[in-house]
Amino acid sequence: MLDISETNAENITSQFSIPPKPTVLIAIQQELAKSDPDPVDFADVIAQDVALSAVVLKTVNSPIFGMSRELSDIRQAVILLGADKLEHLITYFTLRKSLGGKASISLEKFWDNTMEVATMSQLVLKYVADKVDLYPEDLYALGLFRDCGIPLMAMKYDNYKDVLFEANHSPHHVFTDIEEGHYRTNHAIVGYFVASSWNLPKSLCELVLRHHEPDFINDQSVTESQKDLYCLIKIASHAATIYKYGKIDAEWPMAKELVLTRLGMSDIDYEDMLADLLEEYHSLYGEL
């Protein structure tokens, strides 16, 4: 497991400027903490932020929801999304706004990529729903936040773009090991502290920390749901990489056997599913 000792925690928090939670997120989390949260109250909080309202409506009107007509009422959108997915979406959006500034990579492209993987993951779940037992909103959240430490790394290190390139083109090396070799830390550790400080669920924080570990699903200390989430996000990331760049995801060769074994899929089953998945994604979203 990656190092999150007290000493390491102090080093991370002193070296990286982890942004505080914004007021709107605090208000949403306070609403969710109530014994009987009211969606109307969520909607009223969101409606106070024009940009946030727009992103909620854009999400609920996206092809994956298959709405027969476009929604323009924020209250209806809140009810359709559900409290958990709504909270994850707002956290993602506000974190994206908070982590801005000069960086060695395109932060806009990075955040767009995370949204694409999260969206792809929801389609993956449709194809393997009978093989796993998890909540769609948990998978969506993992897609959004698994790499949330990358922007902070890119804002701190001028050569981080080159290190990312190296890690993305080293299929027989663990991604975070490449980062460790350059910086003695990595984006998974940084992301863990971001997720923790923004009060994301503990199980999700652990996945943010460990999602690059190739043998994660062999660890008997993690839950079956976490193992399933790990598997599906690996498939979603691989599918998104093929779709957008026409190449294999760097981590897929190390993860493939364990993932397919857990899901009870043969290579042929997987290839057939992948072809259908990519075709459906293209029919919904066209060219990325």
Side-chain angles (χ1 to χ4, degrees), residues 237-275:
S237 180
H238 178 50
T241 300
I242 291 176
Y243 192 82
K244 190 163 188 176
Y245 302 107
K247 67 176 186 177
I248 295 173
D249 184 85
E251 293 199 326
W252 182 242
M254 286 192 294
K256 179 180 178 180
E257 183 176 354
L258 286 174
V259 168
L260 296 190
T261 297
R262 177 166 179 81
L263 296 177
M265 300 178 70
S266 68
D267 285 349
I268 294 176
D269 292 336
Y270 171 72
E271 293 300 333
D272 287 345
M273 182 198 73
L274 182 63

Side-chain angles (χ1 to χ4, degrees), residues 24-41:
V24 66
L25 181 57
I26 294 172
I28 288 292
Q29 291 178 340
Q30 288 174 341
E31 291 294 335
L32 284 171
K34 293 179 178 178
S35 57
D36 187 21
D38 186 345
V40 174
D41 291 334

Side-chain angles (χ1 to χ4, degrees), residues 56-69 71 77 79-82 85-86 89 119 122-123 140 284-285:
V56 169
L57 289 172
K58 180 180 178 181
T59 300
V60 82
N61 286 314
S62 67
I64 201 166
F65 280 91
M67 300 296 296
S68 58
R69 62 182 180 83
L71 288 182
I79 293 171
L80 183 60
L81 279 173
K85 181 168 280 190
L86 178 68
L89 182 65
T119 301
Q122 301 299 282
L123 291 182
Y140 188 71
L284 290 173
Y285 295 97

Side-chain angles (χ1 to χ4, degrees), residues 174-185:
V174 177
F175 192 104
T176 46
D177 286 351
I178 301 295
E179 293 174 311
E180 290 275 357
H182 289 272
Y183 308 120
R184 301 175 72 177
T185 192

Side-chain angles (χ1 to χ4, degrees), residues 120-192:
M120 184 72 80
S121 75
Q122 301 299 282
L123 291 182
V124 173
L125 182 56
K126 284 176 50 180
Y127 286 89
V128 298
D130 61 331
K131 302 177 185 295
V132 298
D133 183 18
L134 52 80
Y135 295 107
E137 55 268 23
D138 291 340
L139 181 61
Y140 188 71
L142 181 57
L144 293 178
F145 298 110
R146 76 195 194 289
D147 287 330
C148 64
I150 284 181
L152 285 167
M153 297 283 286
M155 293 166 68
K156 180 174 177 60
Y157 300 113
D158 292 338
N159 68 334
Y160 188 61
K161 182 176 182 179
D162 297 330
V163 175
L164 274 184
F165 183 88
E166 179 184 349
N168 281 317
H169 292 80
S170 301
H172 302 294
H173 295 82
V174 177
F175 192 104
T176 46
D177 286 351
I178 301 295
E179 293 174 311
E180 290 275 357
H182 289 272
Y183 308 120
R184 301 175 72 177
T185 192
N186 62 69
H187 79 275
I189 292 174
V190 176
Y192 171 82

Side-chain angles (χ1 to χ4, degrees), residues 171-243:
H172 302 294
H173 295 82
V174 177
F175 192 104
T176 46
D177 286 351
I178 301 295
E179 293 174 311
E180 290 275 357
H182 289 272
Y183 308 120
R184 301 175 72 177
T185 192
N186 62 69
H187 79 275
I189 292 174
V190 176
Y192 171 82
F193 288 109
V194 173
S196 297
S197 67
W198 280 49
N199 295 119
L200 291 172
K202 290 183 179 179
S203 60
L204 176 59
C205 293
E206 183 175 8
L207 278 163
V208 169
L209 177 68
R210 303 184 62 188
H211 72 280
H212 285 292
E213 293 182 18
D215 59 348
F216 176 79
I217 57 178
N218 286 332
D219 188 339
Q220 298 303 309
S221 70
V222 301
T223 67
E224 297 302 306
S225 177
Q226 285 177 309
K227 294 176 182 180
D228 288 340
L229 288 167
Y230 175 94
C231 289
L232 267 58
I233 210 65
K234 289 295 183 186
I235 294 175
S237 180
H238 178 50
T241 300
I242 291 176
Y243 192 82

